[in-house]
Amino acid sequence: MAENMPSAKSSSSLSRNIDHLSDDLLAEIFTRLPFRSTVGCKYTTGTGYFVYDPLTKVSTQIAPSPSWFKDSLYAVGFVCNPDYDHAKDNPTPNRSFRVVVIPSFIRSASMFEVDVFSSDTGKWGQTTVNCPQGFAFAPHWLLSYEYEGWLYFMGRTSIFVFNPYTFDSEILKYPVGADSMNIMSFGYLGSSCGSLRIADIGLNDLKVWELIDTDDWQLLHRTNLTTKLPPQFCANYYKRVGGFHPYDGDIVYLHSYAEGVFVANLRTDKFEAIPGYEKSDISPFKLELPSLPLLLPAPPKPSSG
């Protein structure tokens, strides 16, 4: 997953800062990326992108995209497909990645340019997307969500889906009956148990859908939060869905700046606060979860007999 991070630092300064991060800190940073990827991408204003692999400790600088203009807004995507060479004479992993940059626009367009950087060629390419249905970005959603090699860009009335390896694209509609403005402002797009999901928390009416087929969203959960959570949390206009549990499809994370993070089990109707997130902000797709070993039960101890 890519992150658009404007900074006044020079490229050499950023590279040195990355190189001096501890392994533990890097591990914590990059566990927030999709679990299939250990490569992260950062952007610095005017100097381009830096792709860093914490396993090989190699930082690769990429020049700004062809569509880069000062003071413009961009939607950014990042996909990494690890390809390990198990040959004895070449144990180093070779990771193919793509960086996608789209100049953001809020008026519906049926045709627009997409810039794609390929690590295989080391160059930027550009493709024209034809979108007869029309698409417009949500003003505050400039990060994409990566799912099975495709990038999902949240829009005002729909989701733009793009494959940076094949340049295929499609438009995915929001669930029937969903308020697209609520989803853009307070909802969440992610995955759980291997399936793509989307959530809406408008008017304290929490809804979770799962994508079954193209434009076929199945409503999995619907819960009235006013009977489950503290009044202060429910009254907070800026509360939102913070994430899905990757391995338990019934668990959703809820967040507000003032009240912090709550974990909600929508099957058992159990809601519990997670200490330490009060007065803190979390970006979309960035909620930190325990690693897989912590989520699994400990193996039984061998019997003494």
Side-chain angles (χ1 to χ4, degrees), residues 62 73 106 129 167 173 176 270:
I62 302 172
L73 294 178
I106 59 175
V129 172
F167 289 5
K173 296 179 181 178
V176 175
K270 183 178 180 181

Side-chain angles (χ1 to χ4, degrees), residues 76-97:
V76 181
F78 178 76
V79 176
C80 175
N81 288 335
D83 180 17
Y84 292 89
D85 187 347
H86 295 285
K88 293 182 179 179
D89 57 346
N90 186 18
T92 303
N94 177 28
R95 292 174 175 81
S96 171
F97 64 84

Side-chain angles (χ1 to χ4, degrees), residues 7 9-21 26 42 44 47 49-52 57-61:
S7 172
K9 297 179 181 179
S10 67
S11 59
S12 60
S13 174
L14 177 62
S15 178
R16 288 196 300 270
N17 287 342
I18 289 178
D19 292 340
H20 283 87
L21 292 177
L26 286 171
K42 295 183 179 181
T44 56
T47 59
Y49 296 81
F50 285 82
V51 178
Y52 183 82
K57 298 185 178 180
V58 174
S59 178
T60 304
Q61 182 178 1

Side-chain angles (χ1 to χ4, degrees), residues 29-280:
I29 292 172
F30 288 102
T31 53
R32 302 186 183 195
L33 294 168
F35 65 89
R36 289 181 298 275
S37 170
T38 56
V39 181
C41 179
K42 295 183 179 181
Y43 175 71
T44 56
T45 303
T47 59
Y49 296 81
F50 285 82
V51 178
Y52 183 82
D53 188 334
L55 297 184
T56 62
K57 298 185 178 180
V58 174
S59 178
T60 304
Q61 182 178 1
I62 302 172
S65 68
S67 297
W68 182 83
F69 295 99
K70 187 177 181 181
D71 298 329
S72 296
L73 294 178
Y74 300 91
V76 181
F78 178 76
V79 176
C80 175
N81 288 335
D83 180 17
Y84 292 89
D85 187 347
H86 295 285
K88 293 182 179 179
D89 57 346
N90 186 18
T92 303
N94 177 28
R95 292 174 175 81
S96 171
F97 64 84
R98 300 291 186 271
V99 178
V100 175
V101 176
I102 310 174
S104 181
F105 49 89
I106 59 175
R107 292 185 177 180
S108 182
S110 59
M111 183 180 296
F112 51 91
E113 304 295 328
V114 177
D115 295 339
V116 180
F117 179 86
S118 169
S119 64
D120 300 329
T121 64
K123 298 179 180 179
W124 285 98
Q126 193 172 74
T127 183
T128 300
V129 172
N130 292 302
C131 182
Q133 308 97 313
F135 177 78
F137 284 99
H140 51 288
W141 280 91
L142 298 181
L143 297 178
S144 67
Y145 181 78
E146 185 274 340
Y147 176 70
E148 295 189 345
W150 292 71
L151 295 173
Y152 290 72
F153 294 88
M154 300 282 278
R156 293 171 58 188
T157 59
S158 58
I159 302 170
F160 174 59
V161 188
F162 181 72
N163 188 317
Y165 284 87
T166 65
F167 289 5
D168 292 329
S169 64
E170 61 185 41
I171 293 294
L172 179 62
K173 296 179 181 178
Y174 287 119
V176 175
D179 188 318
S180 60
M181 183 60 68
N182 281 338
I183 290 179
M184 286 188 301
S185 302
F186 314 113
Y188 187 83
L189 173 68
S191 60
S192 178
C193 302
S195 298
L196 192 70
R197 296 191 176 187
I198 199 167
D200 177 14
I201 197 176
L203 301 176
N204 289 306
D205 184 15
L206 175 62
K207 302 175 186 176
V208 178
W209 293 268
E210 181 175 279
L211 187 65
I212 304 302
D213 202 351
T214 304
D215 288 332
D216 182 10
W217 294 94
Q218 179 183 355
L219 183 63
L220 298 181
H221 298 285
R222 185 172 186 177
T223 301
N224 184 351
L225 297 180
T226 59
T227 62
K228 314 293 182 181
L229 292 170
Q232 297 92 331
F233 183 93
C234 295
N236 190 325
Y237 178 78
Y238 296 101
K239 63 183 176 296
R240 62 183 179 83
V241 180
F244 301 125
H245 195 292
Y247 315 112
D248 190 328
D250 296 317
I251 293 180
V252 176
Y253 295 87
L254 309 175
H255 171 260
S256 79
Y257 176 81
E259 306 300 325
V261 174
F262 286 80
V263 55
N265 189 317
L266 302 181
R267 179 178 56 84
T268 63
D269 265 354
K270 183 178 180 181
F271 291 71
E272 186 175 344
I274 301 179
Y277 286 94
E278 299 81 2
K279 306 297 182 182
S280 63

